[in-house]
Structure formats: C-alpha cells, structure tokens
Amino acid sequence: MMPFIHIGPITFASFGLCVGIAMLISYFVLARDVERRGIQAPPDLLVAVPCIAGLIGAKLYHVFETPKLLLADPKMLISQYGFAWFGGFLGGLLGFIWMARRYRVPLLEMFDAAAPAAALGYGIGRIGCLISGDGDYGIPTSLPWGMSFPHGLVPTTDKVHPTPIYELIVACLIAWILWRIGTVELATRKALRKAKADPAQFRPYGGQPLKSGHVFAMYLLLTGIARFLVEFIRINPRSFFGMTNAQAAALGSIIFGIVLMVYLRREKNAVTTAR
C-alpha cells in the first residue's frame, strides 16, 4: 500500500491524487454529455463546484456522524482523512442545484447530465481508498483475490475483500448503463423533433417515452443498490436496524429513485390523458 507519495520534499496523499484524477476524468465525461444535451454552462465549473461542495459535505458528514470523536479531536475538521459517501452525495447535489439555477438549466436535465460522470468519478475515487488502505476494505475472505493492508492507514494482515475494486467495476458498469440510457433519450427527442410526432407514440423503454429525470432516477436506484449490497461485506459498524450509516443512506437513495421514476411515469400518463 502507498498512503503517501514522496517526490523530493513534496508529499502527496494517494487518496487526494486519485480524487484529482477522478475529477479530471469526470470533467471529460460531463463535458461530452453537456455538449450533446446542448446545455449552456461551462463544464469546468460544472465539475469543480459540485466536487468542492461534495468534498466539504463528505467531510462534514463524517465528522458529525461521530460527534464524540470530533469533540475529542477537533482537528478532524481539517484532516485530509475521513470522508463519507452520503455527505459527498448531498454536497455534490447542492452544488449542481446551484449551478442549474445559476445558468438557468432545468434541474432534472442537469442531474441527468451529471449522473454518468458522478458514477464513474465515484468508482475511480475509490481506488484512492484501496491504495491508501484507509479501512474501506471488507471483511476477511478466503477468496484468491483477497488482499491484506499491513502498511495501510488502517492496517490489517488478514486477507480481506478489496471492496474498492468491486465498487470501481460496478461504478464503470453503472456509468455505461446511464450513458446508454441518455443516448436513447436524446435520440428519442431528436427523432420526435424531426418527425414532429406525438411523444406519447414513441416508447423506447418499457412502453414509456424517456424524459428528463429518468437517467438521474436510474443513477439513484443503481448506485443505491450497489452501495447497499457492498456494505454487507464492509467493516463499517452497524447502527440503524442492523444497517451501517452508508447502508441506510443507500436505502434512502433507492427509495428516492423509485419515487422519482413513479412521478415521471404518472406525469407522462397525465399528459397523455390530457391529450
């Protein structure tokens, strides 16, 4: 493991380096999605603002979910360690809401554009957890790909599940699915504009025409399911009804995603009925 990278007198935290790489790759993905959607907003700010807000949210959520540790060591607030996924999600969400209002972009359209980049960026950032050995690994395992972290920030000599690798693989798959759904959605809009057709007659997925918000709803659902399942083999402590904090947050994401899908479907049905 390599928690720190030393180049002469300069020391880099490997986790921070991976977060920077995740932000860079997310920029290119988001820039392409913004371009194909015709969103008039600078992609660099669309990445920078939510990422900074996400890091702040991840740090605040982490320190305030363990208030006793914060009172014992207030320096946790400025430590380069300790970030919580759900806090990052909320912070990033607020960042995108602000950007949508700032550039007058429909909120659900903004969330749709951000979803693939957010999913992929999260997975790449998890590699920083793996390299630094910061305790985000899983429970002991006898599987041949089990890994030990004797020199990690949270060391263990046991062979454990390398859960960050699992999350990277799933995140890449989710990002691809979201991108493909967005591609179908945009092709649908283009075809309807060209043919001047009734949207109610175009049904590419499950008998339902796609509209803004569908990609974001799928992001909430798929990332929520992925995080909920991986927590069963993580070492995080249980708190809510036998679930970890992250698992409870993931359940909330799943529920919100389903509610948004139902809302979009009912709205579509209401429009079709009105016609």
Side-chain angles (χ1 to χ4, degrees), residues 2-15:
M2 191 183 299
F4 301 98
I5 300 173
H6 303 281
I7 303 177
I10 302 176
T11 299
F12 297 95
S14 56
F15 174 77

Side-chain angles (χ1 to χ4, degrees), residues 177-263:
I177 291 172
L178 297 177
W179 186 271
R180 291 298 303 160
I181 293 175
T183 298
V184 172
E185 173 190 348
L186 294 172
T188 298
R189 295 181 189 176
K190 184 177 180 180
L192 290 174
R193 285 195 300 267
K194 185 176 180 180
K196 297 181 180 180
D198 182 352
Q201 304 303 316
F202 202 99
R203 303 165 180 261
Y205 267 118
Q208 298 294 328
L210 297 181
K211 60 186 303 180
S212 295
H214 187 84
V215 175
F216 179 57
M218 287 298 294
Y219 166 80
L220 293 173
L221 179 62
L222 295 177
T223 56
I225 291 173
R227 188 57 192 266
F228 186 86
L229 293 177
V230 79
E231 283 296 304
F232 283 112
I233 56 172
R234 290 277 294 276
I235 60 174
N236 290 331
R238 268 48 183 168
S239 54
F240 298 103
F241 304 101
M243 298 185 295
T244 66
N245 289 346
Q247 215 165 20
L251 184 59
S253 177
I254 294 170
I255 293 172
F256 188 28
I258 293 173
V259 169
L260 180 56
M261 285 183 179
V262 172
Y263 166 76

